[in-house]
Amino acid sequence: MYCVIGKEDFVGNLSGVVNILMAKTTYPVLQNVLLETVDKNLIIKATDLDSYVEKRIEIQGKIKLGKVILPGKKLLDAVRELPTDKLTLSVKDNKVYIESEGSSSIFTSLDPSEYPEVPPVPKDTKIEFPQGMLEECFQATGFAVSREESRPAMCGVYLKITKSEIRMVATDGYRLAFVKKSGKFDGGLEAIVAPKVFNLFPEQENKITICADASRIGFIFANTTIISRLIEGPYPDYERIIPNKSTCQMTVKNDMFSGALRRAAVFAHPVGRLVALNLSSKLCSVFAETADLGQSTQEFEAKYKGDDLKIGFNVSYLIEILHAISSEEAMMEFVNPLAAGVIKPALKDEGTDRLYLLMPIRLE
């Protein structure tokens, strides 16, 4: 194996795959990346057995075919600080030499035959559309994915694509994030996808091709291929729990409300992070108290319609939702102090619907 490659190109692509590597595993090869020269390309592969990522870098000049396995994060650390623009990769007697002007590192390669085989790209479904649309949907929902492995379906994002729209949903049972974007697509898909997959997407790509079958999904870019095992469903019936009416409504400037919440959050109890919203047509405020610390009341300006209401929420969850809305004004709708609050942008974006649910915390 031999090739000369630009350091910036190599570091950028290597950085895009090491995030999938497992920090702790009984299978040491999963902490490594596979480097392989094929035709005029250097291919970098990584996997955690559930997901696979492959990067292809075009090589100019002399190249010798071969493959090696190297510890991914150690390799990245070794080349990231190299002072020169080019580096040389070569193999001799099971040793991998990484050299640049004034620098030489030698790694011992594992047996390449030990590396897990990458599954083929699924072929049942194929859909092409702009990558930015998918990333925007994930940024609006991915934070609400459950971390409880006892509920596998909720540990993924629900993705549904039809010929006229794309939907993405995430929930952990306490909050729900929903986004829908209108468009024209050349196929349909319904899947529960592991959120880590979206963090592997390359930057500055214009188009993405999604391929899927009953058990796997693939995301194909110009020089990157990602294949992941789908999470088994069914996904919770999220539409059933979205309230279709409200008795109270508040419209508030996002930055002002978020600021009041952050100030009150200093006094929220570490367990539960409870704050109480006191809402009326005359005055709106947020209150937090911890017995051994003290208390805080923060007033904020808002337009409020409905009966006076006092309702409690996890302040961290509420701030996170307001950040995901990313609009100048937010609207909150309520039914009663024990029903989920609906949070959404006050002004709807053309072709995009965003909606968030947050379960309240019972106040004493």
Side-chain angles (χ1 to χ4, degrees):
M1 178 181 182
Y2 175 91
C3 67
V4 178
I5 188 170
K7 188 202 81 171
E8 184 176 341
D9 205 7
F10 184 65
V11 169
N13 283 277
L14 184 59
S15 300
V17 304
V18 295
N19 289 337
I20 202 175
L21 299 179
M22 304 181 71
K24 296 181 180 180
T25 176
T26 57
Y27 194 21
V29 75
L30 297 182
Q31 295 176 324
N32 289 258
V33 296
L34 175 70
L35 303 182
E36 182 177 10
T37 44
V38 179
D39 297 327
K40 285 290 185 179
N41 292 279
L42 173 65
I43 298 177
I44 308 174
K45 298 179 182 179
T47 181
D48 62 2
L49 296 184
D50 287 324
S51 300
Y52 300 79
V53 58
E54 175 182 303
K55 299 275 189 177
R56 295 174 297 281
I57 308 172
E58 186 176 354
I59 300 297
Q60 304 292 334
K62 182 181 178 181
I63 186 171
K64 289 184 180 179
L65 305 186
K67 62 175 68 174
V68 294
I69 297 178
L70 298 176
K73 293 182 179 179
K74 292 294 185 182
L75 175 61
L76 181 60
D77 289 341
V79 300
R80 180 181 277 149
E81 300 301 328
L82 290 176
T84 55
D85 295 333
K86 298 284 185 180
L87 56 89
T88 301
L89 278 70
S90 60
V91 179
K92 183 178 181 180
D93 298 330
N94 205 40
K95 300 292 184 181
V96 182
Y97 295 79
I98 302 174
E99 300 169 295
S100 65
E101 185 177 344
S103 175
S104 177
S105 301
I106 304 174
F107 285 90
T108 300
S109 172
L110 297 178
D111 183 355
S113 65
E114 295 182 13
Y115 206 78
E117 184 177 351
V118 178
V121 175
K123 296 182 179 179
D124 289 359
T125 300
K126 184 177 180 180
I127 308 171
E128 294 184 357
F129 57 89
Q131 175 189 341
M133 183 177 290
L134 196 63
E135 285 193 300
E136 181 182 342
C137 290
F138 180 71
Q139 292 299 321
T141 60
F143 67 92
V145 168
S146 175
R147 271 60 173 178
E148 294 290 335
E149 295 183 0
S150 59
R151 300 179 288 184
M154 294 167 64
C155 291
V157 292
Y158 173 75
L159 173 63
K160 184 176 181 179
I161 302 173
T162 67
K163 291 187 176 181
S164 60
E165 68 178 32
I166 175 174
R167 293 187 176 202
M168 192 173 286
V169 183
T171 182
D172 59 7
Y174 303 101
R175 53 190 171 168
L176 180 144
F178 166 90
V179 63
K180 178 178 70 174
K181 296 185 72 69
S182 301
K184 294 182 179 180
F185 309 106
D186 54 2
L189 170 69
E190 190 171 4
I192 305 174
V193 185
K196 61 186 174 184
V197 171
F198 298 94
N199 295 323
L200 299 171
F201 283 11
E203 298 180 355
Q204 299 177 340
E205 294 272 358
N206 296 322
K207 187 177 69 173
I208 179 174
T209 300
I210 296 181
C211 303
D213 57 25
S215 61
R216 293 170 299 137
I217 189 167
F219 300 91
I220 316 300
F221 305 87
N223 296 302
T224 301
T225 299
I226 302 166
I227 300 173
S228 181
R229 184 179 301 161
L230 293 175
I231 298 175
E232 294 184 2
Y235 199 75
D237 185 2
Y238 65 91
E239 292 182 299
R240 180 181 60 83
I241 64 174
I242 297 177
N244 53 21
K245 63 179 181 179
S246 64
T247 58
C248 308
Q249 184 183 91
M250 178 180 73
T251 303
V252 63
K253 289 189 179 299
N254 200 333
D255 56 352
M256 181 185 299
F257 188 32
S258 296
L261 291 170
R262 286 193 296 269
R263 292 190 295 274
V266 174
F267 293 85
H269 196 280
V271 178
R273 305 289 292 152
L274 171 65
V275 297
L277 300 183
N278 294 285
L279 308 176
S280 72
S281 58
K282 295 181 179 179
L283 182 67
C284 294
S285 66
V286 54
F287 173 82
E289 181 179 25
T290 299
D292 58 355
L293 178 62
Q295 60 182 242
S296 173
T297 299
Q298 301 291 328
E299 297 179 2
F300 57 90
E301 294 182 6
K303 297 177 183 178
Y304 181 76
K305 297 179 182 179
D307 295 334
D308 293 358
L309 178 69
K310 186 175 182 180
I311 187 169
F313 290 110
N314 180 308
V315 67
S316 299
Y317 287 174
L318 186 51
I319 290 173
E320 202 166 22
I321 288 173
L322 292 170
H323 177 74
I325 287 176
S326 64
S327 65
E328 184 177 348
E329 288 190 320
M331 178 183 292
M332 296 188 69
E333 297 176 344
F334 312 94
V335 177
N336 59 59
L338 301 180
V342 175
I343 308 150
K344 55 189 177 182
L347 294 177
K348 180 180 176 181
D349 293 335
E350 185 176 354
T352 302
D353 289 331
R354 295 190 187 203
L355 182 145
Y356 300 87
L357 295 185
L358 182 58
M359 292 301 298
I361 300 175
R362 185 185 293 271
L363 298 172
E364 296 295 337

